[in-house]
Amino acid sequence: MIPEQLDGKRIAVTGSTGFLGTALVERLLRSAPGCELVLLLRPGRMRTVEQRARREIFKNDAFDRLRDTLGRDGFDEMIDRRITVIRGDVGTDGLGLDDDGRATLASCDVVIHSAATVSFDSPLDLAVEVNLLGPTRIAETLGDLGVAPHLVAVSTCYVAGNHRGEAHEEPVDESPFFVDVSWRREVEAARRTRSDFEAESRRPEQLSRFHDEARSELGAAGIPLLSTKAEQYRTRWVTDQMVDAGRSRARSLGFPDVYSYTKALGERALAESRGDVPVTVVRPSIIESALAEPKPGWIRGFRMAEPVIISYARGLLTQFPGVPEGIVDVIPVDLVVAAIVSCAAQPPADTPPIVQVASGSSNPLRYRRLIDMIEGYFTEHPIFDNTGQPIAVPEWKFPVRGKVEAQLARAKTVIGKAERVLGSVPLRGKQAEMSATLETRKEEVERALTYVELYGAYAECEAVYTVHNLLEMWDGLDQSDRDTFCFDPRVVDWTHYATGIHLPSVVEHARVKTTPGAKTGPTRNDRLRAQVLSPDRHLAAFDLENTLIASNVVTSYAWLASRRLPTEDKLRLAAGLVREAPQLLTLDRQDRTDFLRYFYRRYKGAPVDQMAEDSAEMLSALILAKSFPAAIRRVREHRALGHRTVLITGALDFVVEPLRPLFDDIVAAEMTVRDGRYTGELVKVPPTGEARAQAMADFARAEGLDLAESVAYADSASDLPMLEAVGFPVAVNPETRLASLARKRGWLVENFPRTSGIAPVVPLAPTRAGARP
């Protein structure tokens, strides 16, 4: 019996934080109570391997059954007694083990290697290092330690590549469809490709392009933030090139993607490098939610089919390629786990056995039947949109992949053009949401296109994976083992599994709306607003323009400069500012600090006392009339809650001085003074962009306040340094760039309306006797 065969054994497991690995650890702990487990984990950035295991493995609901049986204390005691966690990485030569880790691994009787980069669009070199070299590194490390435990290596059925007909349980290089290439040369080429693209990304013209893309996204956000974003674009470009290189190389050798390509070569490398280590290779097909263990429908993260299913149910994906009569070879995760455990319990063989865990040859699920079940399920159990209306699922047409890709590519192009047009218009607040909505639609099209590109080949695959070795192993089990470790694919009733187990689980994990009527209870914005206005917050920092008032430094200047001018000169001033507006707007978008320096030169010679007097009048005549009452109330709410409040603005200090009673402090731009008049030159860098963030940080530090517990309000992407510096950023009446970024990052967005019932304010002051500014 399997539990007795594993009794007293020490079993090392890689990949235990993944979907398959978590299910494997749970089953071994529950169904093989006499074994001990050694989990090889990479340390996290902020957590030790022990902390990762506790948080990422044992808190998962897969262990609810064990927790309920043993109780919380008993469960914790069992984990402490039976689990050892060691630090290691299969992507590193020698597995990155320290002396204790090497000694622990050397004491193991069985090693189950389930770690992999399972993404179908992984960068080429990452897939090579983990999927191709990972099994070989384990075998070589075991050989270096002078031990030969039974190594059970998890691969995939899709190492057979793209071909029609039966794919047997045989070494990959014995298949007539395998293209004979050297795995060592593939490794060298992948590493060289990374170096080539890294060098290419640093060419001057490329760096210039990345900088332009960063500015296009962030605008005048300041040099540090733009530089950081440009570097992100560079690294993303390199990653994208490596992903494309992986796809191209895989397809050139007859594989659907880089995952199956590197897994195939990983099998070959392991066969050549295993030495005296006995090996069993387990090849699952497409692993999906549990049939029964640890509970029906259990799943960790979305697998291959789930994003496509949910996109179809939401009406976002109306077509998907596939062969109606083709086989969709899926297998529940608990059947795969049971097969792996059974393999681990078998005595090692001289010739490495290969066991395929698949359903297509013994219990085939046809693509047409699957689609009919999905369509029927969501017709009977529809998903509802945000207005509470049921979403009607489209009829599946089974088009060819190229047609679907072309349609989605055209839609992406049209949306991109519309997005560029809207991006050139100075939209703000709710109008800017149109651009954000368009961007959301573009992302949906891109996501659908990605699904078609990545998964279309699997829907069109017509290979049939034989399972003779699997069924032979099944026939050798007694009834007790069959009851505890069922891996016979013939037991799956696809109608019950799809409509009674898998699809309900997918819907539950997708957190989509499944009931009619409008949403009740607090909205997402309500929850974010409650966090912002929690008594626990320390500081609330506010921008001024388009955050508290619908005005700007040009409007303030026009009012002050015209305060003491005759009517004819006022009109001339206004006409000049209108003519200059495009140039000023362009300069402001390029660099806010340079714009302010340039524009404030106009105050040269303005009397200090006169500016103070006129600014006080301007408060009621212009600023309050253009204020957002909800924003002013928000400042008062923060003060009532005991939060420190500070206004940080690039406006001149004498312009905002009348607002001082509203805040605990004000940080503003200051001009030098000579002989009682302003010089038009600034005392220091005005608080905009990164300087504004620095000013806020200095204020918080001086007052003993924690920015992680603070709030910042601003309207523009140029304010990103300040918004990103706090724990609770708020985008107020955001312009297009910030609206998009706030949506992506899940920030609170407030659209504060202007003062109602007040006639439009002319930004020219009424004539008054006195000297010109």
Side-chain angles (χ1 to χ4, degrees), residues 275-354:
D276 295 328
V277 175
V279 170
T280 298
V281 174
V282 179
R283 294 176 180 166
S285 57
I286 300 170
I287 307 176
E288 290 295 349
S289 66
L291 177 67
E293 305 279 351
K295 59 184 178 180
W298 178 81
I299 195 169
R300 180 168 191 171
F302 269 9
R303 318 315 305 163
M304 188 183 89
E306 289 72 45
V308 177
I309 291 171
I310 289 298
S311 294
Y312 169 73
R314 294 177 61 195
L316 303 177
L317 188 61
T318 60
Q319 297 188 76
F320 200 79
V323 180
E325 59 269 40
I327 295 172
V328 182
D329 204 316
V330 298
I331 192 78
V333 64
D334 44 341
L335 272 65
V336 179
V337 166
I340 293 172
V341 174
S342 182
C343 287
Q346 301 293 318
D350 293 334
T351 301
I354 296 173

Side-chain angles (χ1 to χ4, degrees), residues 572-584:
R572 188 177 296 111
L573 172 69
L577 289 173
V578 169
R579 286 193 303 271
E580 201 178 2
Q583 176 190 354
L584 295 176

